[in-house]
């Protein structure tokens, strides 16, 4: 290409000069990221607490149904002494047991504590509950007890 301009070739061979960020620019970006994290973080962790409560309610419902199936097979609910373990292992005094009544072992509540089971219950034929996040009776909000009644 004899008619090509030499300036055309020179413009491609030049490299633009690159300058880094100033300390002030980096600080502004860090402050903006910190403000966003401060705004989004509490909302995110609030959702985790709500999902733990929903998971506990779902587990209580599944255990409630398994206990009802146990009663249909045996004619009664397991005694408090047998506990929820009777859903997975045949009690020695139970000839009509047709379990296991759960696909997996009896779960702990989302806060790592075993579910409480009493039969006969004070509120129903049996009482099944979790003490919640605070692991103490009573409580409010996410620390409230979760029950089957």
């Amino acid at each position: 290409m004899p008619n090509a301009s030499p300036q055309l070739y020179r413009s491609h061979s030049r490299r633009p000069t690159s300058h880094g960020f100033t300390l002030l620019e980096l600080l502004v970006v860090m402050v903006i990221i910190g403000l966003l994290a401060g705004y989004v973080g509490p909302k995110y962790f609030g959702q985790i607490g709500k999902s733990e409560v929903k998971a506990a309610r779902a587990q209580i419902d599944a255990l409630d149904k398994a206990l009802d199936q146990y009663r249909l097979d045996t004619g009664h609910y397991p005694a408090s002494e047998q506990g929820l373990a009777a859903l997975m292992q045949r009690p020695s005094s139970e000839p009509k047991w047709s379990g296991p009544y759960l696909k997996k072992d009896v779960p702990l509540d989302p806060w790592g504590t075993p579910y409480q089971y009493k039969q006969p219950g004070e509120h129903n034929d049996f009482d099944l509950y979790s003490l919640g996040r605070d692991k103490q009776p009573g409580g409010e909000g996410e620390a409230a007890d979760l029950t089957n009644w």
Side-chain angles (χ1 to χ4, degrees):
M1 292 173 111
N3 293 342
S5 165
Q7 292 173 346
L8 181 64
Y9 291 118
R10 272 190 254 139
S11 66
H12 289 294
S13 65
R14 283 189 189 173
R15 292 186 175 200
T17 57
S18 175
H19 298 290
F21 294 106
T22 66
L23 182 59
L24 182 61
E25 290 170 330
L26 289 174
L27 288 174
V28 168
V29 169
M30 297 283 285
V31 167
I32 290 171
I33 290 172
L35 290 171
L36 287 173
Y39 178 73
V40 173
K43 291 186 182 235
Y44 172 74
F45 288 113
Q47 293 300 322
I48 290 175
K50 288 179 186 176
S51 66
E52 288 172 334
V53 169
K54 287 181 184 178
R57 289 190 193 283
Q59 287 176 334
I60 288 172
D61 187 50
L63 291 169
D64 194 78
K65 286 180 172 69
L67 286 162
D68 285 340
Q69 185 63 46
Y70 180 101
R71 185 187 59 80
L72 287 173
D73 289 347
T74 63
H76 57 86
Y77 291 107
S80 294
E81 298 78 35
Q82 295 169 323
L84 297 174
L87 296 174
M88 295 302 296
Q89 297 174 351
R90 176 193 302 267
S92 58
S93 61
E94 221 33 85
K96 295 180 182 178
W97 190 86
S98 298
Y101 296 96
L102 297 170
K103 291 182 180 179
K104 298 180 181 178
D105 286 336
V106 177
L108 297 175
D109 70 13
W111 303 281
T113 307
Y115 285 98
Q116 306 295 309
Y117 173 74
K118 291 181 185 175
Q119 197 285 323
E122 297 172 15
H123 304 278
N124 287 323
D125 291 333
F126 63 90
D127 290 348
L128 179 63
Y129 59 96
S130 165
L131 296 174
R133 177 183 294 278
D134 64 354
K135 300 176 184 173
Q136 300 293 322
E140 295 179 10
E142 292 174 12
D145 296 350
L146 302 161
T147 66
N148 70 328
W149 60 87

